[in-house]
Amino acid sequence: MLLVLADEHKEHLGFLNEVDVEVVREFCRIAMEFIRSGPNPKLYQSAAQKLSVASETVQHGVEGLMFLLTEAARYMISEIDFQDSIMTLGFSEDLRSLLLQLYLDNRTEIRTILSEMSMDLPHYHNLEWRLEVTVASRTLRHQVTPRLMMKLHTQDSGEKDVQVLQTDPVNLLHMTRVLEGALAEMKSTHCRRIVRNIK
Amino acid sequence: MRFRFCGELDCPDWVLAEISILSKLTSVKMKLLCVQVVKDLLGQSIDYDKVHKLTADAKYEAGDVKASIAALSFILSSAAKYQVDGESLSNELQQLGLPKEHSSSLCKTYADNLSNLQAQFMRQSLKLSQLESAEWRVDYILSSSELQEVQEPMVQLRFRVRNPDTGDVTPHSFNMTADKFRLFLSELKQAHQVMGGLAL
């Protein structure tokens, strides 16, 4: 699958052709840092001063590089497709091989970062429980009622939520049976067939 | 294979895998590492520089350091949870393949700190909310906008309740007339009596 680059994108990346290979290597490093932790405008200023160009050009160059990498990683394109896609940019031979190397080295890392950015539902974080027995209450003395008190901690994209739940032993057995049945469902022939085909 | 320190269940596979990595340390370094892990379980922070110095000789990678701390953490906390004594823990660890000197140094650290660990775990057990303090004040109401002569004593109570998850302390205050307060007090005294009867 070939990446189709927008004209504006090609313009931004065209800047990379005008500078040395070493500078492009540095830009690649800055682009990876951008992907990992976000933009760093001070770096753009200092780089622009060293190369005596506008800081905007530097910023566009880095962002263009970053976009190229994320799009390539998103579609998981092969080396040949990547090389063909950047052929249209008119880069020199070593520049192309440098970009290819950068893509191959960081592909898995970019994919992990991209996967963390997708939509999140509340998921399990921690479960605390305690077993207690009610021996008396204001209305009824001399009772023995066992109960399980649980505190379910869930996390939804950084926010934590706490739910306090209570159950009696019969319900607890039923719950564990249902959940174990759900786990066992993975071992059924139907699920095994699907998993084998995905892999 | 059922192990007492795992609560009569099988030992998790990852702990078995870590035993061989732990055996690479000398038993003296193992003891120092155990002391660090116990500090972490008791809520004090772990000194990672010391840990790295201890594991540098055995040439542990970053993943190995984390895995060994996790394995020791699991062994010590789960043994304290199921109240296993030092001897049985030592036997079971040797059954898993940990060399004798390592097991005995681990179990010595465990036995020394068992009561501290159990006290800490008791404190960490699930609590919904805790009464931090209770304050009271008795007022005497002379008159009000409804009735000129009221002449009624009233008690105002303030309970400060701590939420264990967030650590916030919220105050709850309320007023009561003398009769209601008498009822309240007698109910609480009955509850106290039932609790006293249970105390072992």
Side-chain angles (χ1 to χ4, degrees):
Chain A
M1 194 204 126
L2 278 185
L3 272 184
V4 180
L5 305 170
D7 287 334
E8 203 182 11
H9 193 186
K10 284 191 204 167
E11 226 182 87
H12 293 169
L13 287 173
F15 164 64
L16 292 177
N17 213 2
E18 299 159 16
V19 292
D20 300 329
V21 181
E22 275 312 309
V23 179
V24 180
R25 217 184 287 271
E26 189 58 28
F27 274 19
C28 295
R29 199 188 54 83
I30 300 178
M32 276 315 297
E33 272 311 306
F34 188 139
I35 296 178
R36 277 185 209 120
S37 21
N40 190 349
K42 285 181 272 183
L43 272 179
Y44 300 152
Q45 282 284 31
S46 52
Q49 274 180 338
K50 264 187 271 179
L51 297 167
S52 43
V53 291
S55 77
E56 266 189 8
T57 332
V58 174
Q59 188 179 2
H60 285 161
V62 173
E63 282 174 5
L65 197 54
M66 185 213 74
F67 191 62
L68 176 69
L69 284 172
T70 46
E71 288 294 294
R74 183 168 19 150
Y75 296 110
M76 196 72 177
I77 58 181
S78 61
E79 300 174 20
I80 307 178
D81 283 342
F82 186 75
Q83 276 183 325
D84 292 338
S85 312
I86 57 178
M87 197 80 77
T88 58
L89 294 165
F91 283 168
S92 60
E93 186 61 45
D94 22 325
L95 203 55
R96 261 184 277 145
S97 54
L98 175 66
L99 286 177
L100 182 64
Q101 200 52 43
L102 179 70
Y103 170 60
L104 290 174
D105 289 340
N106 296 307
R107 179 161 52 173
T108 35
E109 193 183 341
I110 299 176
R111 278 182 80 81
T112 343
I113 298 175
L114 285 177
S115 72
E116 280 166 22
M117 284 166 68
S118 67
M119 181 188 89
D120 194 15
L121 283 173
H123 56 262
Y124 170 83
H125 181 69
N126 190 15
L127 179 73
E128 298 173 66
W129 59 266
R130 82 175 177 208
L131 179 64
E132 52 191 31
V133 174
T134 311
V135 290
S137 75
R138 183 178 170 273
T139 40
L140 183 67
R141 304 296 159 84
H142 303 298
Q143 53 174 301
V144 180
T145 324
R147 261 199 327 230
L148 193 84
M149 174 102 68
M150 299 184 279
K151 207 187 257 193
L152 179 66
H153 296 256
T154 51
Q155 198 171 2
D156 184 359
S157 39
E159 283 172 22
K160 295 206 178 147
D161 194 22
V162 176
Q163 288 259 29
V164 179
L165 305 160
Q166 213 177 317
T167 174
D168 52 280
V170 179
N171 260 323
L172 180 67
L173 278 174
H174 178 65
M175 272 200 300
T176 43
R177 226 174 285 144
V178 166
L179 291 172
E180 276 173 357
L183 265 183
E185 192 64 29
M186 269 301 282
K187 302 203 181 92
S188 69
T189 40
H190 183 66
C191 284
R192 278 222 190 101
R193 226 179 294 150
I194 296 181
V195 170
R196 230 177 299 151
N197 280 327
I198 295 177
K199 288 218 185 85
Chain B
M1 281 284 314
R2 289 179 184 279
F3 289 100
R4 263 186 68 195
F5 82 94
C6 298
E8 307 292 340
L9 294 171
D10 289 331
C11 181
D13 293 331
W14 60 274
V15 177
L16 283 172
E18 286 318 306
I19 297 277
S20 58
I21 300 190
L22 285 172
S23 315
K24 279 197 243 165
L25 282 179
T26 64
S27 63
V28 174
K29 294 218 160 70
M30 168 79 138
K31 185 162 170 115
L32 292 169
L33 190 59
C34 290
V35 166
Q36 287 292 324
V37 172
V38 166
K39 263 176 70 179
D40 181 45
L41 286 173
L42 287 175
Q44 302 152 16
S45 62
I46 223 179
D47 189 348
Y48 282 108
D49 293 330
K50 269 201 205 141
V51 170
H52 278 294
K53 259 185 271 177
L54 290 171
T55 56
D57 287 351
K59 299 201 182 41
Y60 274 14
E61 299 166 7
D64 287 341
V65 176
K66 289 188 216 168
S68 54
I69 296 180
L72 281 175
S73 210
F74 173 79
I75 294 174
L76 289 168
S77 62
S78 127
K81 179 154 59 149
Y82 295 108
Q83 291 181 302
V84 181
D85 58 285
E87 267 300 310
S88 339
L89 181 64
S90 174
N91 286 338
E92 290 183 346
L93 288 175
Q94 283 178 43
Q95 276 178 31
L96 285 173
L98 194 64
K100 192 163 186 309
E101 316 84 53
H102 293 72
S103 313
S104 40
S105 58
L106 197 156
C107 297
K108 178 123 195 331
T109 321
Y110 169 70
D112 291 339
N113 289 303
L114 179 55
S115 45
N116 288 348
L117 281 171
Q118 286 187 327
Q120 173 71 3
F121 292 159
M122 170 86 99
R123 273 194 294 269
Q124 277 174 347
S125 295
L126 173 57
K127 281 195 170 75
L128 286 178
S129 55
Q130 279 170 285
L131 183 64
E132 185 86 353
S133 64
E135 294 150 11
W136 60 266
R137 178 179 88 184
V138 173
D139 298 321
Y140 192 73
I141 302 195
L142 294 167
S143 80
S144 78
S145 56
E146 309 288 316
L147 188 64
Q148 188 171 14
E149 295 258 341
V150 178
Q151 314 284 7
E152 179 89 47
M154 184 143 87
V155 68
Q156 185 159 359
L157 286 169
R158 182 163 73 172
F159 290 155
R160 302 195 95 100
V161 178
R162 172 192 286 278
N163 181 342
D165 293 326
T166 55
D168 300 339
V169 180
T170 32
H172 295 280
S173 17
F174 50 98
N175 297 345
M176 274 189 283
T177 57
D179 290 331
K180 258 290 180 344
F181 186 61
R182 215 168 287 139
L183 226 90
F184 184 58
L185 195 59
S186 71
E187 301 282 352
L188 285 181
K189 278 191 179 148
Q190 286 172 21
H192 189 239
Q193 212 173 19
V194 175
M195 276 174 74
L198 284 174
L200 291 157

